[in-house]
Amino acid sequence: MSRIKGKLALITGASAGIGEACAKQLARDGANLILWARRKKRLADLASEITDESGVTVDIASIDIRDHELVFKEANQLRVNGLSPDIVINNAGMGAGMSLMQEGKVEDWNRMIDTNVKGLLFVTRAFLPDMVERDHGHLVNIGSIAGRQVYPRGNVYNATKYAVQALTEGTNLDVLGTKVRVSSVNPGLVETEFSLVRFDGDEARAEAVYEGLDALRGQDVAEVVSFVVNAPPHMNVADVLVFSTDQRSIHHVHRNGS
Ligand code: 8X3
């Protein structure tokens, strides 16, 4: 049974990985979609694939969530058009580099903080007031095990994901007394473009991250998100941590031969 059939879900970072898988899964659940990402062509291809397979509507927009003026303008336009989302999946996020703290690049820090923290804040600020006003809505933040445990060279990426955790918990406190729900879904290793982006297109380095283990797929995380947003209205799944069976903590990963 789907409780989100006919609801409107907005997903950021929807052009690939966990975001793309969430789009397909929530469409299977019968939700209409608004998909945001920077890469419009990929969004357009995904939208036509989804509309071919399901009867849901899919709106797309090329949005860089680091641009707060664009985020607020687009959100306002959606509101004016009567398209206020019932569900917002704050998925867009990235890792940039893996340097020692003492060697970190300011450019990498800015990209991670601007996307993972400030971008998530802008999207939340853009849609949460309407949810509170309507006394209805569900915000799902995609965090990470990297927001629970630090690892060498994770420094600023870890800090951004710890921030996501704090923002999820803090937002839940701030909407107490309303029917708005705030959840976080925190995966461990998921085989997506994440490492390719982090290592600036270095395929060998990216592949090594997932080598020898049966990592999570985007679809696995999307199924968890689907469970979270399909929970009955009186139930708020505040926090989920999900690993591949080959991973038990950020520091404990079983690889073939290990
Ligand atoms: C990404 C997971 O373990 O590579 O959020 O930091 S990890």
Side-chain angles (χ1 to χ4, degrees):
M1 183 188 88
S2 173
R3 292 191 177 90
I4 64 166
K5 193 168 166 37
K7 303 269 191 224
L8 185 58
L10 183 142
I11 302 168
T12 67
S15 62
I18 294 170
E20 176 183 354
C22 284
K24 290 177 176 169
Q25 182 59 47
L26 297 195
R28 271 182 228 116
D29 292 345
N32 297 312
L33 302 175
I34 301 168
L35 305 181
W36 284 7
R38 284 174 303 167
R39 295 175 289 189
K40 190 139 191 206
K41 170 78 172 77
R42 289 188 58 154
L43 279 183
D45 291 347
L46 176 63
S48 64
E49 189 186 331
I50 290 173
T51 43
D52 283 353
E53 282 175 15
S54 60
V56 306
T57 65
V58 185
D59 287 308
I60 60 169
S62 172
I63 306 285
D64 184 338
I65 59 165
R66 295 176 295 183
D67 182 345
H68 69 273
E69 284 178 1
L70 180 61
V71 167
F72 293 144
K73 188 169 147 235
E74 190 72 15
N76 192 48
Q77 193 57 52
L78 289 170
R79 189 165 33 247
V80 167
N81 294 344
L83 293 171
S84 289
D86 304 290
I87 298 163
V88 171
I89 313 286
N90 264 322
N91 164 70
M94 49 96 67
M98 253 187 113
S99 302
L100 297 172
M101 189 67 210
Q102 56 272 32
E103 294 171 359
K105 297 191 182 79
V106 170
E107 165 61 21
D108 287 344
W109 296 350
N110 281 337
R111 284 170 65 210
M112 290 188 279
I113 292 167
D114 288 350
T115 308
N116 304 0
V117 183
K118 291 172 70 182
L120 178 141
L121 277 173
F122 300 153
V123 173
T124 301
R125 184 65 180 83
F127 294 106
L128 192 59
D130 212 44
M131 290 184 177
V132 169
E133 167 95 21
R134 289 182 291 147
D135 203 18
H136 161 86
H138 201 152
L139 186 68
V140 181
N141 292 333
I142 305 297
S144 170
I145 179 57
R148 303 287 177 79
Q149 294 180 283
V150 295
Y151 51 89
R153 298 171 183 266
N155 47 65
V156 175
Y157 179 71
N158 285 130
T160 65
K161 291 299 179 175
Y162 273 74
V164 171
Q165 192 61 24
L167 290 170
T168 306
E169 291 177 21
T171 310
N172 255 319
L173 300 183
D174 291 345
V175 298
L176 179 66
T178 77
K179 298 295 184 195
V180 176
R181 294 179 285 177
V182 186
S183 305
S184 70
V185 173
N186 299 280
L189 288 162
V190 188
E191 194 155 0
T192 61
E193 289 179 355
F194 176 84
S195 293
L196 198 61
V197 172
R198 178 179 236 176
F199 300 130
D200 204 19
D202 184 335
E203 286 181 20
R205 216 173 152 199
E207 277 168 21
V209 174
Y210 311 105
E211 209 167 283
L213 85 147
D214 198 3
L216 292 172
R217 285 74 155 157
Q219 175 59 23
D220 300 321
V221 182
E223 287 179 25
V224 176
V225 170
S226 171
F227 174 82
V228 166
V229 296
N230 272 291
H234 68 277
M235 172 178 165
N236 182 28
V237 183
D239 198 10
V240 185
L241 182 60
V242 55
F243 285 124
S244 144
T245 309
D246 282 340
Q247 181 176 24
R248 305 300 163 118
S249 86
I250 205 132
H251 302 295
H252 296 84
V253 179
H254 177 77
R255 298 179 194 267
N256 289 338
S258 71

